[in-house]
Each structure stands twice: as structure tokens, then as C-alpha cells.
């Protein structure tokens, strides 16, 4: 199994850098729009682009990924809501198991459907423990997966899930408040997970400014993800500030 993208990421994190990833939802942009957005994200200092969504209404997934890949020199990772969101144009795929839930479809079902296609398309899968955290609203992931998020006041439950994922061999933990979250993942929860697990921690959902991103980094996040910012009025400016904060960050983490 290829581990090129993961090895590069791990090397970078081991050298003390933190990363800023941006999610592009194919439902939000046309092919023409996303080319400019991908270039703009790169010029802001974003490290990696994610492509995917909980529920897609558009048919242009493969073309969309190809356009993003062609428009920038950034790594493009799939962030699939299900086994239909695959493309050979991507550099790798977050092979997400929704470990905070107990729905077999999101734990193993979609993975089985996707596995032969991933093999045939030659995509690098990065086993990722996806953990949904309560965020003050019902997220698309919560609704679509019919699973309950981990209560924000129960960081020890998050720690137990993250540890279990690490023991099962997963390479990344993604603490997800959900796109458009009212409340982002609590710093206390990130810090407790950071203290207990060695694998890199991704934090996303409801991060809309550099101060919030810094709080997550200080708590121990390795990778910050934003999505919705792209559609906000001052979003690009905010992305630039977040990228500068992530690049300039020197403390915290493991
Ligand atoms: C979604 O965590 C990401 O998976 C991004 O969330 O759209 O709230 O930035 P936002």
C-alpha cells in the first residue's frame, strides 16, 4: 500500500510544522470557479486541498478533482462522504471511519464498496478516525450518518475513541465539529486527546478566524481545516491570516 502522501505529511509534522487544509465542496462551486479558488487558496498559504462532502448533488466529482489538481501544485486529498466520491486525479484519500458513531455503513460498509475501486484507481488511502463532536447544531454528517456526536463536555470519551483508533492502526484522528458549526471543537478536548495519542490530530468545523485556529494549535492540533470561509465576504482575507498563524506557529503539540 502506498504511503507517499502520509509519509510526507508525517515528516513535515515531525519537523515541527503545522498544516492548514481547505475543504472544497463540489456542490459549492462550478468547475470554472474552483480553478480560481484553488489558485487563490494556494496563494493564501494553504498546504493541502480536500475535496468532498456529506451529500453531493452534482455529477462532476471526477472533473472537479481534475480541475483542482490542474489549477494548483498543492496536494489534493479526497474527503469522501461515501464510496462514490473517488477520483484517480487525487493524490490520496482520507479513508474515513466514523468511529464516534455506531453505524456500520460509516464504519466499514462504504469502505468495502470503495476498496476494489481504490485499488484499481491507484489512490493512496490514509486510514483516518473521523470523530464527530457536538457543536451546537445538527451537522450534515450527524444527520446523514444517523449517529450522535460526542458530547463537548466529555473529553474523556473523545480520548477513548482516539486511543481505540490508534490501537486499531489508524494514521490520523479528525476531530470534526461539522461544516458551519456554531461551536468549534473545544480546546480542552483537543488537549486531552493530544496528551494521550501519538497520531496527528486534524481539527475542523466552525473555525472562522486566526485566533480560533491559534487556540486549536495551542491545544495540540496538527492540522487545521476550514471550508465555509471560502464563501464568506472576507473569507480569503481570513484564510490568509489563518495560514500565516499556522505557518508561524512554533509551540504546542507533540
Ligand atoms: C468540514 O471541518 C470542515 O469537514 C470545515 O468546516 O466549513 O465550518 O469550516 P467549516
Amino acid at each position: 500500500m502506498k504511503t507517499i502522501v502520509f509519509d510526507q505529511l508525517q515528516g513535515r509534522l515531525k519537523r515541527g510544522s503545522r498544516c492548514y487544509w481547505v475543504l472544497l465542496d463540489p456542490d459549492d462551486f462550478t468547475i470554472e470557479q474552483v480553478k480560481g479558488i484553488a489558485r487563490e487558496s494556494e496563494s493564501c498559504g494553504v498546504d493541502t486541498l480536500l475535496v468532498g462532502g456529506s451529500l453531493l448533488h452534482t455529477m462532476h466529482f471526477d472533473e472537479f478533482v481534475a480541475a483542482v489538481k490542474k489549477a494548483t501544485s498543492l496536494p489534493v486529498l479526497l474527503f469522501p462522504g461515501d464510496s462514490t466520491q473517488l477520483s484517480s486525479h487525487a493524490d490520496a484519500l482520507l479513508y474515513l471511519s466514523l468511529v464516534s458513531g455506531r453505524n456500520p455503513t460509516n464504519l466499514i460498509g462504504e469502505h468495502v464498496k470503495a476498496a476494489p475501486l481504490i485499488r484499481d484507481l491507484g489512490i493512496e488511502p490514509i486510514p483516518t478516525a473521523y470523530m464527530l463532536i457536538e457543536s451546537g447544531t445538527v451537522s450534515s454528517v450527524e444527520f446523514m450518518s444517523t449517529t450522535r456526536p460526542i458530547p463537548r463536555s466529555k473529553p474523556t470519551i473523545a480520548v477513548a475513541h482516539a486511543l481505540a483508533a490508534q490501537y486499531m492502526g489508524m494514521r490520523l484522528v479528525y476531530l470534526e465539529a461539522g461544516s458551519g458549526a456554531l461551536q468549534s471543537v473545544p480546546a480542552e478536548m483537543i488537549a486531552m486527546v493530544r496528551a494521550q495519542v501519538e497520531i496527528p490530530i486534524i481539527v475542523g468545523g466552525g473555525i472562522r478566524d486566526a485566533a480560533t485556529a491559534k487556540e486549536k494549535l495551542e491545544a495540540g492540533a496538527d492540522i487545521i481545516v476550514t471550508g465555509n470561509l471560502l464563501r464568506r465576504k472576507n473569507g480569503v482575507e481570513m484564510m490568509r491570516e489563518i495560514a500565516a498563524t499556522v505557518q508561524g506557529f512554533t509551540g504546542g503539540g507533540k
Side-chain angles (χ1 to χ4, degrees):
M1 190 171 99
K2 277 198 287 190
T3 59
I4 303 164
V5 175
F6 177 74
D7 290 345
Q8 281 169 354
L9 171 66
Q10 200 177 35
R12 198 176 157 169
L13 295 173
K14 280 196 172 148
R15 288 192 295 275
S17 299
R18 297 291 175 267
C19 300
Y20 178 30
W21 295 358
V22 162
L23 172 63
L24 304 172
D25 186 328
D27 280 343
D28 290 344
F29 310 107
T30 64
I31 300 289
E32 274 318 303
Q33 284 170 337
V34 82
K35 291 179 190 169
I37 283 164
R39 278 192 284 266
E40 198 157 27
S41 301
E42 185 168 20
S43 77
C44 282
V46 168
D47 299 300
T48 290
L49 295 169
L50 301 180
V51 179
S54 302
L55 174 67
L56 290 193
H57 304 278
T58 43
M59 298 291 288
H60 61 202
F61 189 79
D62 191 56
E63 199 189 342
F64 189 92
V65 178
V68 172
K69 187 66 201 156
K70 208 167 167 199
T72 77
S73 60
L74 296 177
V76 177
L77 305 191
L78 301 179
F79 178 65
D82 62 37
S83 57
T84 66
Q85 296 177 31
L86 298 175
S87 169
S88 60
H89 299 291
D91 295 290
L93 162 143
L94 296 184
Y95 202 46
L96 301 165
S97 281
L98 184 58
V99 298
S100 56
R102 299 295 180 268
N103 184 339
T105 300
N106 308 104
L107 283 166
I108 182 66
E110 290 297 306
H111 310 69
V112 172
K113 285 194 217 165
L117 301 169
I118 291 169
R119 178 199 58 206
D120 291 352
L121 292 170
I123 312 171
E124 174 182 334
I126 305 177
T128 303
Y130 194 47
M131 293 170 44
L132 192 56
I133 313 299
E134 181 193 359
S135 64
T137 185
V138 177
S139 65
S140 302
V141 181
E142 177 178 350
F143 183 79
M144 292 305 297
S145 65
T146 63
T147 65
R148 296 175 71 187
I150 294 175
R152 39 193 308 113
S153 60
K154 305 279 185 195
T156 53
I157 295 183
V159 168
H161 282 75
L163 267 180
Q166 178 174 275
Y167 296 156
M168 289 169 80
M170 298 203 187
R171 312 305 296 269
L172 301 170
V173 173
Y174 193 139
L175 301 177
E176 170 71 279
S179 193
L182 297 179
Q183 296 170 290
S184 54
V185 178
E188 186 201 0
M189 183 180 280
I190 299 168
M192 283 183 66
V193 172
R194 174 73 295 159
Q196 299 284 327
V197 304
E198 279 140 43
I199 54 179
I201 300 173
I202 309 170
V203 176
I207 299 173
R208 291 183 270 272
D209 55 53
T212 309
K214 189 165 180 231
E215 177 199 69
K216 311 305 171 200
L217 294 169
E218 281 170 348
D222 295 289
I223 299 161
I224 299 293
V225 181
T226 69
N228 267 320
L229 260 187
L230 274 171
R231 292 186 292 148
R232 290 191 158 225
K233 209 168 156 226
N234 62 347
V236 172
E237 200 182 307
M238 283 298 142
M239 283 168 55
R240 211 176 287 282
E241 286 183 18
I242 293 173
T245 299
V246 172
Q247 282 165 8
F249 188 76
T250 48
K254 264 194 179 173

